[in-house]
Amino acid sequence: MRMNADIGVIGLAVMGQNLILNMNDNGYKVVAYNRTTAKVDQFLEGPAKGTNIVGAHSLAQLVAQLSVPRKVMLMVRAGTVVDDFIQALLPLLDEGDIIIDGGNSNFPDSNRRMTELAEHGIHFVGTGVSGGELGARFGPSLMPGGAAAAWPALKPIFQSIAAKTDAGEPCCDWVGAAGSGHFVKMVHNGIEYGDMQLICECYQFMQAGLGLNAAQMQQVFSDWNDSELNSYLIEITADILAVKDDDGAPLLDKILDTAGQKGTGKWTGINALDLGIPLTLISEAVFARCLSALKDQRQQAQQLFGADISAVSGDRAEWLEALRQALLAAKIISYAQGFMLMREASEQNHWDLNFGNVAMMWRGGCIIRSAFLGNIRDAFESDPQLPFLGLDPYFKQILQQSLPAWRKVAAKAIESGIPMPCMTAALSFLDGYLCGRLPANLLQAQRDYFGAHTYERVDRPRGEFFHTDWTGSGGDVASTTYDA
Ligand code: 6PG
């Protein structure tokens, strides 16, 4: 029997336990540790019984059982708990050892941790782990980034426990330097927010607009899952619609309509604002959750306005096909915006992200896994520098074909009072992106009028700035020209 374990995992909540069991299934010997050590014993006596998994009652015991270079993976709550464990591990580790953070950490924290640990000769890896508890148990999507020197030691473990594409490729590859792994996981979660909100908007259109019941909607989502929309989130939506409460009514109808959020969608929006990327769909999805949380206010306002959603008349099957096309088109915009954000972050941070690989890592195992990601991978493989996914021939054709249906759905939603913030924001974005001349000339004139902020001219080279004394009573002095 081998005395030295391949990897130590700290944190025995559901994700930690399932990752350990997954590693064990793949032939790796794992040492499990949890701050409340009773949990270690419960795990060893419970799910880990009869496996090669061993336990530790202290960090020193954990580290003592590891082969060199020691690999310690933290599966604990993001934030200060991660820093606390890193501090506690530091005196126990040697140069060349590896600390992995598998939580949903904010990527600037991973940047900082990598730099701090490098000063001690320790390699830090921040990895996205997606797929929920079942993913962790049977094949998650893993997005590791940080100290590249750690990758050769981690690669066999990570790629064997990861989900596999239909072609057998692991949904895990090296993402890039510093916090890039956690950045990519953050964008994954932002896209997850967008996909979920788009599905919710279609659900409301079907239920409140078209008057479909749960069984009918379950059928629609099942049918959609056999189309280009095939994805985990569409599949679970159909499943959810089939679940009944004790009284036989759909359980979904009994669930309070206020959404929670743990922050990764918000971070995605904040980063988009910081980097100047028009990430409109994901941002709307975050705000839709915020609006949903204002339950009391919404109920009062509905009464005060006597507001109600109007029924959508017309051929139901035609509307459902229009809705399907609108959903697909809006989803393309969401992913296009997400990849624009990653592209900008990659450039600014010199991460050199490989977008085809990112799509491949998301192809299986994770919450946004879908057939569609295979097409995204193809798009970036044929043009690694693709600035906007909608310019790829496959996606361009879908967008062009779907536009009439998409406009019809968006217009009907607005007319009927059905809130579709993501569906309509995506359409406005595309209309803006396809507009060679936007009204920003007027905006620049307004800025120059009241603040002498200057403007560029269509008949002069870029980079030359002009100021006009619009009222005849202003001065000649322009404000400094800079962009945030
Ligand atoms: C995943 C999920 C996972 C978690 C989300 C939930 O990839 O497995 O994204 O990370 O379920 O963080 O996020 P909210 O609580 O913000 O919806």
Short mmCIF file of all heavy atoms in Angstrom, two decimals, residues 3-24 28-49 51-66 71-76 85 89:
data_model
loop_
_atom_site.label_atom_id
_atom_site.label_comp_id
_atom_site.label_asym_id
_atom_site.label_seq_id
_atom_site.Cartn_x
_atom_site.Cartn_y
_atom_site.Cartn_z
N MET A 3 2.15 4.75 1.03
CA MET A 3 1.99 5.52 2.26
C MET A 3 1.68 6.98 1.94
O MET A 3 1.01 7.65 2.69
CB MET A 3 3.26 5.44 3.12
CG MET A 3 3.49 4.08 3.73
SD MET A 3 2.06 3.49 4.67
CE MET A 3 2.07 4.64 6.05
N ASN A 4 2.24 7.45 0.82
CA ASN A 4 2.07 8.87 0.52
C ASN A 4 0.87 9.12 -0.36
O ASN A 4 0.68 8.48 -1.38
CB ASN A 4 3.33 9.40 -0.17
CG ASN A 4 4.46 9.52 0.82
OD1 ASN A 4 4.21 9.52 2.03
ND2 ASN A 4 5.67 9.58 0.33
N ALA A 5 0.08 10.08 0.07
CA ALA A 5 -1.13 10.38 -0.68
C ALA A 5 -0.82 11.35 -1.81
O ALA A 5 0.14 12.12 -1.76
CB ALA A 5 -2.17 10.97 0.26
N ASP A 6 -1.64 11.31 -2.84
CA ASP A 6 -1.42 12.16 -4.02
C ASP A 6 -1.84 13.60 -3.79
O ASP A 6 -1.24 14.52 -4.34
CB ASP A 6 -2.22 11.60 -5.21
CG ASP A 6 -1.77 10.20 -5.58
OD1 ASP A 6 -0.61 10.07 -6.00
OD2 ASP A 6 -2.55 9.26 -5.40
N ILE A 7 -2.88 13.78 -3.00
CA ILE A 7 -3.41 15.13 -2.82
C ILE A 7 -4.19 15.20 -1.51
O ILE A 7 -4.76 14.19 -1.06
CB ILE A 7 -4.31 15.52 -4.03
CG1 ILE A 7 -4.74 16.99 -3.98
CG2 ILE A 7 -5.52 14.60 -4.18
CD1 ILE A 7 -5.29 17.53 -5.31
N GLY A 8 -4.18 16.37 -0.89
CA GLY A 8 -4.98 16.60 0.31
C GLY A 8 -6.10 17.55 -0.03
O GLY A 8 -5.91 18.49 -0.80
N VAL A 9 -7.28 17.29 0.52
CA VAL A 9 -8.41 18.21 0.28
C VAL A 9 -8.92 18.70 1.63
O VAL A 9 -9.19 17.90 2.53
CB VAL A 9 -9.54 17.52 -0.52
CG1 VAL A 9 -10.74 18.46 -0.66
CG2 VAL A 9 -9.03 17.10 -1.91
N ILE A 10 -9.04 20.02 1.72
CA ILE A 10 -9.53 20.64 2.95
C ILE A 10 -10.94 21.14 2.69
O ILE A 10 -11.17 21.89 1.74
CB ILE A 10 -8.61 21.82 3.35
CG1 ILE A 10 -7.21 21.29 3.67
CG2 ILE A 10 -9.21 22.60 4.51
CD1 ILE A 10 -6.21 22.38 3.99
N GLY A 11 -11.87 20.75 3.55
CA GLY A 11 -13.25 21.21 3.40
C GLY A 11 -14.13 20.06 2.97
O GLY A 11 -14.04 19.60 1.84
N LEU A 12 -14.97 19.59 3.91
CA LEU A 12 -15.79 18.41 3.61
C LEU A 12 -17.27 18.77 3.49
O LEU A 12 -18.14 18.00 3.91
CB LEU A 12 -15.56 17.33 4.67
CG LEU A 12 -14.16 16.72 4.64
CD1 LEU A 12 -13.99 15.66 5.72
CD2 LEU A 12 -13.84 16.13 3.28
N ALA A 13 -17.55 19.91 2.91
CA ALA A 13 -18.94 20.18 2.51
C ALA A 13 -19.18 19.33 1.27
O ALA A 13 -18.28 18.61 0.82
CB ALA A 13 -19.13 21.66 2.25
N VAL A 14 -20.36 19.46 0.68
CA VAL A 14 -20.74 18.51 -0.37
C VAL A 14 -19.77 18.51 -1.55
O VAL A 14 -19.40 17.46 -2.07
CB VAL A 14 -22.21 18.75 -0.80
CG1 VAL A 14 -22.39 20.12 -1.44
CG2 VAL A 14 -22.69 17.67 -1.73
N MET A 15 -19.29 19.70 -1.97
CA MET A 15 -18.39 19.76 -3.13
C MET A 15 -17.07 19.08 -2.80
O MET A 15 -16.53 18.31 -3.61
CB MET A 15 -18.14 21.21 -3.56
CG MET A 15 -19.35 21.91 -4.12
SD MET A 15 -19.91 21.22 -5.68
CE MET A 15 -18.70 21.86 -6.83
N GLY A 16 -16.53 19.35 -1.61
CA GLY A 16 -15.26 18.76 -1.20
C GLY A 16 -15.36 17.25 -1.14
O GLY A 16 -14.52 16.52 -1.69
N GLN A 17 -16.39 16.75 -0.46
CA GLN A 17 -16.56 15.29 -0.33
C GLN A 17 -16.65 14.63 -1.70
O GLN A 17 -16.01 13.60 -1.96
CB GLN A 17 -17.85 14.98 0.45
CG GLN A 17 -17.77 15.31 1.91
CD GLN A 17 -18.85 14.59 2.72
OE1 GLN A 17 -19.50 13.67 2.25
NE2 GLN A 17 -19.03 15.02 3.96
N ASN A 18 -17.45 15.23 -2.57
CA ASN A 18 -17.66 14.59 -3.87
C ASN A 18 -16.41 14.63 -4.75
O ASN A 18 -16.14 13.68 -5.49
CB ASN A 18 -18.86 15.23 -4.59
CG ASN A 18 -20.17 14.70 -4.02
OD1 ASN A 18 -20.17 13.78 -3.22
ND2 ASN A 18 -21.27 15.29 -4.42
N LEU A 19 -15.65 15.71 -4.67
CA LEU A 19 -14.39 15.75 -5.43
C LEU A 19 -13.44 14.67 -4.94
O LEU A 19 -12.75 14.02 -5.73
CB LEU A 19 -13.72 17.12 -5.28
CG LEU A 19 -14.05 18.21 -6.29
CD1 LEU A 19 -13.14 19.40 -6.05
CD2 LEU A 19 -13.88 17.73 -7.74
N ILE A 20 -13.38 14.50 -3.62
CA ILE A 20 -12.50 13.48 -3.05
C ILE A 20 -12.91 12.09 -3.55
O ILE A 20 -12.07 11.28 -3.99
CB ILE A 20 -12.54 13.52 -1.50
CG1 ILE A 20 -11.95 14.83 -0.99
CG2 ILE A 20 -11.82 12.32 -0.90
CD1 ILE A 20 -12.13 15.07 0.50
N LEU A 21 -14.21 11.81 -3.52
CA LEU A 21 -14.69 10.50 -3.97
C LEU A 21 -14.38 10.30 -5.45
O LEU A 21 -14.00 9.20 -5.88
CB LEU A 21 -16.21 10.37 -3.71
CG LEU A 21 -16.59 10.32 -2.23
CD1 LEU A 21 -18.10 10.54 -2.05
CD2 LEU A 21 -16.19 8.99 -1.59
N ASN A 22 -14.51 11.38 -6.22
CA ASN A 22 -14.20 11.33 -7.64
C ASN A 22 -12.71 11.03 -7.85
O ASN A 22 -12.33 10.16 -8.65
CB ASN A 22 -14.58 12.69 -8.25
CG ASN A 22 -14.42 12.76 -9.75
OD1 ASN A 22 -13.88 11.85 -10.37
ND2 ASN A 22 -14.88 13.85 -10.35
N MET A 23 -11.84 11.69 -7.08
CA MET A 23 -10.39 11.45 -7.19
C MET A 23 -10.08 10.00 -6.83
O MET A 23 -9.27 9.33 -7.49
CB MET A 23 -9.62 12.39 -6.27
CG MET A 23 -9.61 13.84 -6.73
SD MET A 23 -8.93 14.91 -5.43
CE MET A 23 -9.07 16.52 -6.19
N ASN A 24 -10.73 9.52 -5.78
CA ASN A 24 -10.52 8.13 -5.36
C ASN A 24 -10.93 7.16 -6.47
O ASN A 24 -10.20 6.22 -6.78
CB ASN A 24 -11.33 7.87 -4.08
CG ASN A 24 -11.25 6.41 -3.66
OD1 ASN A 24 -10.23 5.97 -3.13
ND2 ASN A 24 -12.29 5.65 -3.93
N TYR A 28 -6.63 7.92 -7.34
CA TYR A 28 -5.74 8.79 -6.55
C TYR A 28 -6.01 8.59 -5.07
O TYR A 28 -7.16 8.42 -4.66
CB TYR A 28 -5.94 10.26 -6.94
CG TYR A 28 -5.48 10.50 -8.35
CD1 TYR A 28 -6.39 10.58 -9.40
CD2 TYR A 28 -4.12 10.56 -8.64
CE1 TYR A 28 -5.97 10.73 -10.70
CE2 TYR A 28 -3.69 10.72 -9.95
CZ TYR A 28 -4.62 10.80 -10.98
OH TYR A 28 -4.18 10.94 -12.26
N LYS A 29 -4.92 8.64 -4.30
CA LYS A 29 -5.08 8.51 -2.86
C LYS A 29 -5.22 9.92 -2.27
O LYS A 29 -4.35 10.78 -2.48
CB LYS A 29 -3.88 7.79 -2.25
CG LYS A 29 -4.05 7.56 -0.77
CD LYS A 29 -3.04 6.59 -0.22
CE LYS A 29 -3.18 6.51 1.28
NZ LYS A 29 -2.15 5.67 1.87
N VAL A 30 -6.29 10.14 -1.55
CA VAL A 30 -6.60 11.49 -1.06
C VAL A 30 -6.62 11.50 0.47
O VAL A 30 -7.14 10.58 1.10
CB VAL A 30 -8.00 11.95 -1.56
CG1 VAL A 30 -8.19 13.44 -1.31
CG2 VAL A 30 -8.19 11.63 -3.04
N VAL A 31 -6.06 12.58 1.06
CA VAL A 31 -6.21 12.82 2.49
C VAL A 31 -7.26 13.88 2.68
O VAL A 31 -7.19 14.96 2.07
CB VAL A 31 -4.91 13.37 3.13
CG1 VAL A 31 -4.99 13.26 4.66
CG2 VAL A 31 -3.69 12.69 2.62
N ALA A 32 -8.24 13.60 3.53
CA ALA A 32 -9.34 14.54 3.75
C ALA A 32 -9.19 15.22 5.10
O ALA A 32 -8.85 14.58 6.11
CB ALA A 32 -10.66 13.78 3.72
N TYR A 33 -9.42 16.54 5.11
CA TYR A 33 -9.37 17.28 6.38
C TYR A 33 -10.51 18.27 6.42
O TYR A 33 -10.91 18.85 5.40
CB TYR A 33 -8.02 18.02 6.51
CG TYR A 33 -7.99 18.94 7.71
CD1 TYR A 33 -7.83 18.44 9.00
CD2 TYR A 33 -8.17 20.33 7.55
CE1 TYR A 33 -7.84 19.28 10.11
CE2 TYR A 33 -8.17 21.17 8.65
CZ TYR A 33 -8.01 20.64 9.93
OH TYR A 33 -8.03 21.47 11.02
N ASN A 34 -11.03 18.49 7.62
CA ASN A 34 -12.06 19.51 7.82
C ASN A 34 -11.79 20.16 9.18
O ASN A 34 -11.32 19.50 10.11
CB ASN A 34 -13.44 18.83 7.83
CG ASN A 34 -14.55 19.85 7.70
OD1 ASN A 34 -14.81 20.33 6.60
ND2 ASN A 34 -15.18 20.18 8.80
N ARG A 35 -12.09 21.47 9.25
CA ARG A 35 -11.79 22.18 10.50
C ARG A 35 -12.53 21.53 11.68
O ARG A 35 -11.96 21.33 12.75
CB ARG A 35 -12.17 23.66 10.36
CG ARG A 35 -11.61 24.50 11.45
CD ARG A 35 -11.37 25.92 11.05
NE ARG A 35 -12.51 26.52 10.35
CZ ARG A 35 -12.51 27.76 9.89
NH1 ARG A 35 -11.45 28.53 10.06
NH2 ARG A 35 -13.54 28.25 9.27
N THR A 36 -13.80 21.21 11.48
CA THR A 36 -14.53 20.43 12.50
C THR A 36 -14.18 18.97 12.23
O THR A 36 -14.69 18.35 11.30
CB THR A 36 -16.05 20.66 12.36
OG1 THR A 36 -16.28 22.05 12.33
CG2 THR A 36 -16.81 20.02 13.49
N THR A 37 -13.28 18.44 13.03
CA THR A 37 -12.68 17.16 12.67
C THR A 37 -13.66 15.99 12.77
O THR A 37 -13.45 14.95 12.16
CB THR A 37 -11.43 16.87 13.52
OG1 THR A 37 -11.79 17.04 14.89
CG2 THR A 37 -10.29 17.79 13.18
N ALA A 38 -14.74 16.18 13.53
CA ALA A 38 -15.75 15.11 13.61
C ALA A 38 -16.26 14.78 12.22
O ALA A 38 -16.63 13.65 11.91
CB ALA A 38 -16.90 15.55 14.51
N LYS A 39 -16.27 15.80 11.37
CA LYS A 39 -16.75 15.60 10.00
C LYS A 39 -15.84 14.67 9.20
O LYS A 39 -16.29 13.95 8.30
CB LYS A 39 -16.82 16.97 9.28
CG LYS A 39 -18.24 17.38 8.98
CD LYS A 39 -18.29 18.58 8.10
CE LYS A 39 -19.60 18.55 7.32
NZ LYS A 39 -19.86 19.75 6.61
N VAL A 40 -14.55 14.71 9.54
CA VAL A 40 -13.59 13.81 8.88
C VAL A 40 -13.97 12.36 9.21
O VAL A 40 -14.07 11.51 8.31
CB VAL A 40 -12.14 14.11 9.34
CG1 VAL A 40 -11.16 13.14 8.71
CG2 VAL A 40 -11.77 15.55 9.04
N ASP A 41 -14.21 12.11 10.51
CA ASP A 41 -14.55 10.74 10.93
C ASP A 41 -15.87 10.30 10.31
O ASP A 41 -16.01 9.16 9.86
CB ASP A 41 -14.61 10.67 12.46
CG ASP A 41 -13.29 11.11 13.07
OD1 ASP A 41 -12.24 10.86 12.43
OD2 ASP A 41 -13.30 11.74 14.15
N GLN A 42 -16.84 11.23 10.31
CA GLN A 42 -18.15 10.88 9.71
C GLN A 42 -17.98 10.52 8.23
O GLN A 42 -18.58 9.59 7.73
CB GLN A 42 -19.12 12.07 9.81
CG GLN A 42 -19.72 12.26 11.19
CD GLN A 42 -20.28 13.68 11.36
OE1 GLN A 42 -20.43 14.43 10.39
NE2 GLN A 42 -20.56 14.03 12.60
N PHE A 43 -17.13 11.28 7.55
CA PHE A 43 -16.90 11.04 6.12
C PHE A 43 -16.24 9.68 5.91
O PHE A 43 -16.65 8.88 5.06
CB PHE A 43 -16.05 12.18 5.55
CG PHE A 43 -15.72 12.05 4.09
CD1 PHE A 43 -16.72 11.92 3.13
CD2 PHE A 43 -14.39 12.07 3.66
CE1 PHE A 43 -16.40 11.81 1.78
CE2 PHE A 43 -14.07 11.97 2.31
CZ PHE A 43 -15.09 11.83 1.37
N LEU A 44 -15.21 9.40 6.75
CA LEU A 44 -14.49 8.13 6.58
C LEU A 44 -15.38 6.93 6.91
O LEU A 44 -15.28 5.88 6.29
CB LEU A 44 -13.24 8.11 7.47
CG LEU A 44 -12.14 9.12 7.09
CD1 LEU A 44 -10.97 9.02 8.07
CD2 LEU A 44 -11.65 8.88 5.66
N GLU A 45 -16.26 7.12 7.87
CA GLU A 45 -17.18 6.03 8.26
C GLU A 45 -18.39 5.95 7.33
O GLU A 45 -19.08 4.95 7.28
CB GLU A 45 -17.68 6.26 9.70
CG GLU A 45 -16.67 5.90 10.77
CD GLU A 45 -16.17 4.47 10.58
OE1 GLU A 45 -17.00 3.55 10.52
OE2 GLU A 45 -14.94 4.28 10.46
N GLY A 46 -18.63 7.05 6.63
CA GLY A 46 -19.81 7.12 5.76
C GLY A 46 -19.44 6.93 4.30
O GLY A 46 -19.00 5.85 3.89
N PRO A 47 -19.56 8.00 3.49
CA PRO A 47 -19.36 7.86 2.04
C PRO A 47 -17.98 7.32 1.65
O PRO A 47 -17.85 6.69 0.61
CB PRO A 47 -19.52 9.31 1.52
CG PRO A 47 -20.22 10.05 2.59
CD PRO A 47 -19.93 9.38 3.88
N ALA A 48 -16.95 7.56 2.50
CA ALA A 48 -15.60 7.15 2.11
C ALA A 48 -15.24 5.74 2.60
O ALA A 48 -14.14 5.25 2.35
CB ALA A 48 -14.58 8.16 2.64
N LYS A 49 -16.16 5.11 3.28
CA LYS A 49 -15.88 3.77 3.84
C LYS A 49 -15.57 2.78 2.70
O LYS A 49 -16.23 2.77 1.66
CB LYS A 49 -17.10 3.28 4.63
CG LYS A 49 -16.75 2.22 5.65
CD LYS A 49 -17.97 1.88 6.50
CE LYS A 49 -17.70 0.69 7.37
NZ LYS A 49 -16.84 0.98 8.50
N THR A 51 -13.00 2.81 0.81
CA THR A 51 -12.19 3.41 -0.26
C THR A 51 -10.74 3.55 0.23
O THR A 51 -10.43 3.20 1.37
CB THR A 51 -12.70 4.81 -0.63
OG1 THR A 51 -12.45 5.68 0.48
CG2 THR A 51 -14.19 4.81 -0.95
N ASN A 52 -9.88 4.11 -0.61
CA ASN A 52 -8.49 4.37 -0.20
C ASN A 52 -8.32 5.72 0.48
O ASN A 52 -7.20 6.14 0.76
CB ASN A 52 -7.57 4.35 -1.42
CG ASN A 52 -7.33 2.94 -1.89
OD1 ASN A 52 -7.32 2.01 -1.07
ND2 ASN A 52 -7.16 2.77 -3.19
N ILE A 53 -9.43 6.42 0.70
CA ILE A 53 -9.35 7.77 1.26
C ILE A 53 -8.92 7.68 2.73
O ILE A 53 -9.41 6.84 3.48
CB ILE A 53 -10.73 8.47 1.14
CG1 ILE A 53 -11.11 8.60 -0.33
CG2 ILE A 53 -10.70 9.83 1.83
CD1 ILE A 53 -12.57 8.89 -0.58
N VAL A 54 -7.99 8.56 3.10
CA VAL A 54 -7.55 8.60 4.50
C VAL A 54 -7.90 9.97 5.07
O VAL A 54 -8.22 10.90 4.34
CB VAL A 54 -6.04 8.33 4.65
CG1 VAL A 54 -5.72 6.89 4.32
CG2 VAL A 54 -5.23 9.27 3.79
N GLY A 55 -7.84 10.08 6.39
CA GLY A 55 -8.23 11.33 7.03
C GLY A 55 -7.09 11.96 7.79
O GLY A 55 -6.05 11.33 8.03
N ALA A 56 -7.27 13.22 8.17
CA ALA A 56 -6.31 13.92 9.02
C ALA A 56 -7.11 14.74 10.02
O ALA A 56 -8.16 15.27 9.68
CB ALA A 56 -5.42 14.82 8.18
N HIS A 57 -6.56 14.82 11.25
CA HIS A 57 -7.23 15.60 12.29
C HIS A 57 -6.54 16.93 12.53
O HIS A 57 -6.95 17.70 13.40
CB HIS A 57 -7.32 14.80 13.59
CG HIS A 57 -8.46 13.83 13.57
ND1 HIS A 57 -8.79 13.01 14.61
CD2 HIS A 57 -9.38 13.56 12.60
CE1 HIS A 57 -9.84 12.26 14.29
NE2 HIS A 57 -10.21 12.60 13.07
N SER A 58 -5.48 17.18 11.77
CA SER A 58 -4.81 18.48 11.85
C SER A 58 -4.16 18.74 10.49
O SER A 58 -3.95 17.79 9.71
CB SER A 58 -3.73 18.47 12.94
OG SER A 58 -2.67 17.62 12.52
N LEU A 59 -3.81 20.00 10.26
CA LEU A 59 -3.15 20.31 8.99
C LEU A 59 -1.79 19.63 8.93
O LEU A 59 -1.35 19.18 7.87
CB LEU A 59 -3.01 21.83 8.83
CG LEU A 59 -4.31 22.58 8.57
CD1 LEU A 59 -4.04 24.08 8.47
CD2 LEU A 59 -4.99 22.09 7.30
N ALA A 60 -1.11 19.55 10.09
CA ALA A 60 0.21 18.90 10.12
C ALA A 60 0.08 17.44 9.70
O ALA A 60 0.89 16.92 8.91
CB ALA A 60 0.82 19.01 11.52
N GLN A 61 -0.96 16.77 10.21
CA GLN A 61 -1.20 15.36 9.81
C GLN A 61 -1.49 15.25 8.33
O GLN A 61 -1.05 14.32 7.66
CB GLN A 61 -2.41 14.83 10.57
CG GLN A 61 -2.08 14.03 11.79
CD GLN A 61 -3.37 13.50 12.44
OE1 GLN A 61 -4.37 13.24 11.78
NE2 GLN A 61 -3.32 13.37 13.76
N LEU A 62 -2.23 16.19 7.85
CA LEU A 62 -2.57 16.18 6.42
C LEU A 62 -1.31 16.28 5.58
O LEU A 62 -1.05 15.45 4.70
CB LEU A 62 -3.52 17.36 6.10
CG LEU A 62 -3.80 17.62 4.62
CD1 LEU A 62 -5.20 17.15 4.24
CD2 LEU A 62 -3.67 19.08 4.26
N VAL A 63 -0.51 17.30 5.89
CA VAL A 63 0.69 17.57 5.10
C VAL A 63 1.68 16.41 5.20
O VAL A 63 2.31 16.02 4.21
CB VAL A 63 1.32 18.91 5.56
CG1 VAL A 63 2.70 19.10 4.98
CG2 VAL A 63 0.40 20.07 5.19
N ALA A 64 1.77 15.80 6.39
CA ALA A 64 2.74 14.72 6.61
C ALA A 64 2.44 13.50 5.73
O ALA A 64 3.33 12.69 5.46
CB ALA A 64 2.72 14.30 8.08
N GLN A 65 1.20 13.38 5.27
CA GLN A 65 0.84 12.18 4.48
C GLN A 65 0.98 12.38 2.99
O GLN A 65 0.70 11.48 2.21
CB GLN A 65 -0.60 11.79 4.80
CG GLN A 65 -0.81 11.39 6.26
CD GLN A 65 -2.24 10.95 6.51
OE1 GLN A 65 -2.64 9.89 6.08
NE2 GLN A 65 -2.99 11.79 7.19
N LEU A 66 1.42 13.59 2.58
CA LEU A 66 1.42 13.88 1.14
C LEU A 66 2.75 13.61 0.47
O LEU A 66 3.81 13.89 1.03
CB LEU A 66 1.05 15.36 0.92
CG LEU A 66 -0.37 15.75 1.33
CD1 LEU A 66 -0.55 17.27 1.24
CD2 LEU A 66 -1.39 15.04 0.44
N LYS A 71 0.38 18.61 -2.69
CA LYS A 71 -0.73 19.30 -3.35
C LYS A 71 -1.88 19.36 -2.36
O LYS A 71 -2.39 18.31 -1.93
CB LYS A 71 -1.15 18.53 -4.61
CG LYS A 71 -0.04 18.46 -5.66
CD LYS A 71 -0.36 17.55 -6.80
CE LYS A 71 0.02 16.09 -6.56
NZ LYS A 71 1.39 15.79 -6.20
N VAL A 72 -2.26 20.58 -2.00
CA VAL A 72 -3.35 20.75 -1.03
C VAL A 72 -4.43 21.58 -1.68
O VAL A 72 -4.19 22.70 -2.14
CB VAL A 72 -2.85 21.48 0.25
CG1 VAL A 72 -3.99 21.59 1.26
CG2 VAL A 72 -1.65 20.77 0.85
N MET A 73 -5.62 21.02 -1.74
CA MET A 73 -6.73 21.72 -2.40
C MET A 73 -7.73 22.20 -1.36
O MET A 73 -8.21 21.41 -0.54
CB MET A 73 -7.41 20.78 -3.40
CG MET A 73 -8.52 21.44 -4.17
SD MET A 73 -8.86 20.51 -5.68
CE MET A 73 -10.08 21.54 -6.46
N LEU A 74 -8.04 23.51 -1.43
CA LEU A 74 -9.00 24.10 -0.51
C LEU A 74 -10.38 24.09 -1.15
O LEU A 74 -10.56 24.65 -2.23
CB LEU A 74 -8.61 25.54 -0.17
CG LEU A 74 -7.24 25.73 0.46
CD1 LEU A 74 -6.86 27.20 0.49
CD2 LEU A 74 -7.27 25.18 1.88
N MET A 75 -11.33 23.45 -0.48
CA MET A 75 -12.73 23.47 -0.95
C MET A 75 -13.55 24.11 0.16
O MET A 75 -14.43 23.48 0.76
CB MET A 75 -13.20 22.04 -1.26
CG MET A 75 -12.55 21.44 -2.49
SD MET A 75 -12.78 22.40 -4.01
CE MET A 75 -14.55 22.34 -4.21
N VAL A 76 -13.20 25.35 0.47
CA VAL A 76 -13.84 26.06 1.59
C VAL A 76 -14.49 27.32 1.05
O VAL A 76 -14.29 27.70 -0.11
CB VAL A 76 -12.80 26.41 2.68
CG1 VAL A 76 -12.20 25.14 3.26
CG2 VAL A 76 -11.69 27.32 2.15
N PHE A 85 -6.56 29.56 5.91
CA PHE A 85 -5.96 28.24 5.68
C PHE A 85 -4.58 28.37 5.04
O PHE A 85 -3.65 27.63 5.38
CB PHE A 85 -6.87 27.35 4.84
CG PHE A 85 -7.86 26.56 5.68
CD1 PHE A 85 -9.21 26.81 5.59
CD2 PHE A 85 -7.41 25.59 6.56
CE1 PHE A 85 -10.11 26.09 6.37
CE2 PHE A 85 -8.31 24.87 7.35
CZ PHE A 85 -9.66 25.12 7.25
N LEU A 89 -1.19 26.86 6.53
CA LEU A 89 -0.45 25.83 5.79
C LEU A 89 1.00 26.22 5.54
O LEU A 89 1.89 25.37 5.48
CB LEU A 89 -1.13 25.58 4.43
CG LEU A 89 -2.38 24.70 4.42
CD1 LEU A 89 -3.12 24.83 3.09
CD2 LEU A 89 -2.01 23.23 4.68
#
